[in-house]
């Protein structure tokens, strides 16, 4: 059974940090790029960051560049999103998704259920 399971969300004050995890199972993790998306109420889903082992590349949205860091532990089939200097506008449900091979691939074959991140003032 294919699974992507996010964890690590929660409530944090502005300026604080959180680390999200996306644990994958049921598919060949090394062959897939993992993207973090987020969606805030009333807003469109936004691609936040992506990592691909196959192409040895990472991607960040301008809105998080310099504050978020994506990493992968292939031995654990897990991708992390370290989020620092959090802002109120980072509040959203964060999802991870897997697409074959690269960060520019589509469609996304697998999705997680999401984890809530709430940044308070």
């Amino acid at each position: 059974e294919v699974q992507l399971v996010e964890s690590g969300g929660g409530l944090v004050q502005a300026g604080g940090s959180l680390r999200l995890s996306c644990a994958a199972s049921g598919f060949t993790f090394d062959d897939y790029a993992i993207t973090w998306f987020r969606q805030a109420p009333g807003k469109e889903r936004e691609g936040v960051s992506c990592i691909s082992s196959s192409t040895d590349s990472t991607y960040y949205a301008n809105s998080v560049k310099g504050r978020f860091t994506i990493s992968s532990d292939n031995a654990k089939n897990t991708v992390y999103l370290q989020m620092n200097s959090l802002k109120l506008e980072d509040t959203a449900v964060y999802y991870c998704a897997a697409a074959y091979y690269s960060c520019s691939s589509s469609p996304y074959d697998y999705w997680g259920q999401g984890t809530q991140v709430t940044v308070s003032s």
Side-chain angles (χ1 to χ4, degrees):
E1 179 188 7
V2 171
Q3 281 193 311
L4 287 174
V5 179
E6 302 96 336
S7 61
L11 175 64
V12 63
Q13 285 193 325
S17 298
L18 282 175
R19 188 178 79 156
L20 305 183
S21 299
C22 172
S25 60
F27 63 96
T28 306
F29 181 77
D30 293 0
D31 289 346
Y32 282 76
I34 303 295
T35 298
W36 283 98
F37 291 89
R38 66 186 180 186
Q39 188 162 23
K43 294 189 176 181
E44 291 189 357
R45 188 174 63 201
E46 174 189 19
V48 173
S49 184
C50 178
I51 187 166
S52 168
S53 299
S54 300
T55 61
D56 193 24
S57 60
T58 57
Y59 159 84
Y60 297 94
N62 286 336
S63 57
V64 306
K65 205 169 289 184
R67 300 188 298 120
F68 291 9
T69 302
I70 194 168
S71 62
S72 178
D73 185 338
N74 287 17
K76 295 183 178 180
N77 286 2
T78 300
V79 169
Y80 304 98
L81 186 68
Q82 178 66 44
M83 306 187 297
N84 298 330
S85 302
L86 282 162
K87 303 176 180 180
L88 297 178
E89 52 264 41
D90 294 318
T91 295
V93 178
Y94 284 71
Y95 303 88
C96 61
Y100 184 73
Y101 191 68
S102 81
C103 289
S104 59
S105 296
S106 65
Y108 290 90
D109 294 320
Y110 312 117
W111 288 84
Q113 82 290 348
T115 186
Q116 176 71 47
V117 172
T118 303
V119 183
S120 65
S121 58

